[in-house]
Amino acid sequence: MGILKYTQYLYLIIAAAFIYDGVTKLISHTENAWLSFIIAGVSIFMFFFRRKYAKKFDDHYKKQ
């Protein structure tokens, strides 16, 4: 489970990339930027979701 602790941070990197993409789309007025912001929001949600369950599994294994 070592690498799974670090994969949750991949969601933050993805969120940052989509926030940047959304801001550039808002500035250039070329495309609709809402989809980028929605994907960034889902990525941030997944970060906290995975983080919660990683802590839950760690606590479970420490008790055994």
Side-chain angles (χ1 to χ4, degrees), residues 24-62:
T24 56
K25 285 179 182 178
L26 279 177
I27 291 172
S28 66
H29 298 293
T30 57
E31 298 179 38
N32 193 359
W34 294 111
L35 183 61
S36 296
F37 290 126
I38 290 171
I39 293 172
V42 169
S43 296
I44 292 171
F45 169 76
M46 285 299 296
F47 167 75
F48 287 112
F49 182 79
R50 293 281 303 251
R51 186 174 177 182
K52 176 185 173 186
Y53 279 98
K55 286 182 181 180
K56 189 175 184 179
F57 287 134
D58 284 343
D59 291 342
H60 176 71
Y61 287 121
K62 286 181 184 177

